[in-house]
Amino acid sequence: MSTAVGSDSEVKAPRTMTRMRWAIIWLAFVGLSINYLDRSSLSVALPFMGEDFHLTATQQGMIFAAFFWAYDVCQLAAGWYVDKVGPRRSFTIAALWWSVCTMATSFARGFGSLFAVRFLLGVGESPAPSTSAKVVATWFPKSERAFATSIWDSGSRVGAVIALPIVTLIISFTTWHGVFIIIGALGVVWAFAWWKIYRAPQDHPRVGTAELAHIESGGARGAGSDDADAAKLPWRSLFRYRTILSMMFGFFCLNSAIYFFITFFPSYLVSERGFDLLKLGMFGALPGVCAVACGWLGGFAADRAVRRGHSVTRVRKTQIAGGLVGGSVIMFAAVVPEAWMALALLSLAYSSLTVAATGIWSLPADVAPSSKHVGSIGGIQNFASNLAGIFTPLVIGVLVDSTGSYVAPLAVIGAVALLGAANYLFVMGRVEPLKVKEPLALQH
């Protein structure tokens, strides 16, 4: 039986209610920040490693790609794994794995060993986003889900932004070897903190009865809320739902735009807008900083709309489609005459895409047929989204080489963002838990 969105338990919580759920999600934010710091560290440190490795540009590209090949391929299994063992174990093991691989990078001696540790790093980091989505589903009612998602999701942007100053600072005091030892050790410390602190709400000693009631009555996806038939739905059956297929395609469209900022954005500012190293350092982080702030504001606004009685379907579709439409302004960045205009448009685009991402990562908890499918759905849509990490840089590179500018690639990215918006508006159905289509006995 569904719980009314605007119920008193969601709108007004007792003053004595504990706030452990917010401590948990901020701890997840720190974990995601370390996760992205680890994966971004090599791109910053690699120029200082040249004397030891003598890598060609092609070899460097293959090493960077090794991470994404492993990360993407493992997404499907990672989501299933998170549902199987739970967030406490999955996040702890994943953090220890990626931290050890990060530290092992300091002992690499050539192309082969560096390729291997990056590949294994991708395997270790793959459960992180699905685990975070599972944490939100377990700990937060519907009326707080978007803002909680915006918190952990912003860790990906924070980790990438702080990589440049942190890595260069460590290198200035030690060597490039010290970079991977130090930031790898951070992950180990965080893993022990997560294992020590995290429990399900029902089992956590610092969760009061008022907070637990607030979580459960507000629509959190705990095991106690599961329908028996829905909980038994096989993982492979998820691909039979139009909602799931639409989520996969839509997230691919979103990441097709976001991966521009992760790959070619600095090169665009240097080659097309004439930024030198100083300008790149001063202004290059601006879109990322704006994206973090707007992601939080977008999540807060979405939750406020739900608390005011708007349907989750309307709120999520408005948030996601609106963010993708806003992200499509990236197509105009290449044609405006002034560099500051381009940077403003790119900041607007990245911020809008981040608002959409907050809604997209709220969907697994919204549509999962049971609590045992939240991580699986997160892994499924993230698998599709990271295919963009393989194809988008290739398409951008080919178009830049063939046309001599970024006009064509940014136009294509903007068009794909609009296609994604149309997908969420007109293809994806209602945002509600998926129903079992037929008796489970007939599915075997």
Side-chain angles (χ1 to χ4, degrees):
M1 183 175 179
S2 61
T3 303
V5 171
S7 64
D8 291 339
S9 60
E10 289 184 18
V11 178
K12 294 183 179 180
R15 292 183 179 181
T16 58
M17 185 174 69
T18 53
R19 293 288 188 271
M20 193 63 202
R21 64 193 184 284
W22 296 109
I24 291 292
I25 205 61
W26 280 110
L27 184 59
F29 161 82
V30 174
L32 263 293
S33 299
I34 295 173
N35 178 285
Y36 270 74
L37 174 62
D38 283 14
R39 77 170 66 177
S40 303
S41 59
L42 181 63
S43 62
V44 181
L46 196 58
F48 302 95
M49 300 164 61
E51 295 181 0
D52 296 324
F53 286 89
H54 304 288
L55 299 172
T56 67
T58 300
Q59 288 176 319
Q60 292 179 35
M62 292 180 67
I63 288 169
F64 287 132
F67 172 89
F68 289 103
W69 293 339
Y71 183 79
D72 192 42
V73 168
C74 289
Q75 283 300 313
L76 297 176
W80 171 87
Y81 170 74
V82 170
D83 283 329
K84 186 73 173 178
V85 305
R88 185 182 183 222
R89 185 178 299 178
S90 66
F91 228 158
T92 301
I93 294 175
L96 289 174
W97 182 314
W98 84 56
S99 299
V100 169
C101 290
T102 298
M103 289 188 284
T105 306
S106 64
F107 301 102
R109 291 296 177 264
F111 170 78
S113 55
L114 197 54
F115 184 97
V117 294
R118 288 294 292 184
F119 185 91
L120 292 173
L121 181 67
V123 175
E125 291 198 359
S126 61
S130 296
T131 301
S132 301
K134 181 87 169 181
V135 170
V136 171
T138 304
W139 274 86
F140 288 87
K142 286 183 290 186
S143 61
E144 297 174 348
R145 195 171 287 164
F147 183 56
T149 298
S150 74
I151 291 174
W152 74 257
D153 184 56
S154 67
S156 62
R157 275 155 281 282
V158 171
V161 167
I162 66 176
L164 181 60
I166 287 180
V167 171
T168 53
L169 179 65
I170 294 174
I171 291 176
S172 68
F173 283 98
T174 61
T175 66
W176 68 262
H177 301 83
V179 169
F180 300 104
I181 295 294
I182 292 172
I183 64 176
L186 286 176
V188 173
V189 173
W190 182 88
F192 281 104
W194 181 261
W195 179 261
K196 178 71 174 178
I197 295 172
Y198 186 85
R199 300 290 190 279
Q202 298 82 1
D203 302 324
H204 205 289
R206 297 183 63 182
V207 174
T209 55
E211 182 175 20
L212 185 60
H214 176 68
I215 292 170
E216 293 180 338
S217 65
R221 306 305 301 275
S225 65
D226 289 343
D227 174 78
D229 282 341
K232 297 177 182 178
L233 185 71
W235 176 86
R236 64 182 182 276
S237 296
L238 293 171
F239 293 93
R240 300 170 59 239
Y241 290 88
R242 185 181 70 175
T243 295
I244 300 298
L245 298 178
S246 175
M247 289 166 59
M248 294 174 69
F249 178 75
F251 206 175
F252 174 87
C253 293
L254 178 90
N255 262 12
S256 294
I258 284 182
Y259 268 104
F260 166 78
F261 293 93
I262 298 174
T263 56
F264 278 88
F265 172 63
S267 298
Y268 165 77
L269 292 181
V270 172
S271 63
E272 292 286 297
R273 296 299 177 176
F275 279 38
D276 56 22
L277 185 61
L278 179 60
K279 283 186 177 180
L280 185 62
M282 291 178 61
F283 301 109
L286 184 60
V289 172
C290 292
V292 170
C294 289
W296 291 350
L297 288 173
F300 177 81
D303 285 342
R304 187 176 183 183
V306 171
R307 286 194 294 271
R308 288 185 170 185
H310 295 288
S311 71
V312 175
T313 298
R314 181 179 180 182
V315 171
R316 295 287 184 262
K317 288 194 173 189
T318 301
Q319 180 183 8
I320 297 170
L324 282 162
V325 171
S328 70
V329 303
I330 194 174
M331 67 176 69
F332 302 113
V335 297
V336 293
E338 300 292 338
W340 69 267
M341 296 178 182
L343 195 60
L345 286 171
L346 290 169
S347 298
L348 173 61
Y350 200 13
S351 299
S352 299
L353 294 169
T354 301
V355 171
T358 298
I360 287 173
W361 270 115
S362 299
L363 290 177
D366 293 331
V367 307
S370 77
S371 65
K372 297 180 179 179
H373 296 91
V374 175
S376 298
I377 293 175
I380 288 170
Q381 72 166 5
N382 207 33
F383 163 76
S385 75
N386 278 281
L387 291 176
I390 298 172
F391 293 110
T392 297
L394 177 61
V395 171
I396 294 175
V398 169
L399 289 175
V400 170
D401 286 339
S402 60
T403 65
S405 77
Y406 281 83
V407 174
L410 292 187
V412 170
I413 290 173
V416 171
L418 291 174
L419 186 62
N423 164 76
Y424 282 107
L425 285 175
F426 305 116
V427 178
M428 189 177 72
R430 291 181 56 81
V431 179
E432 60 187 7
L434 301 174
K435 304 297 191 296
V436 178
K437 290 189 173 183
E438 58 188 37
L440 290 175
L442 301 178
Q443 297 185 18
H444 298 286

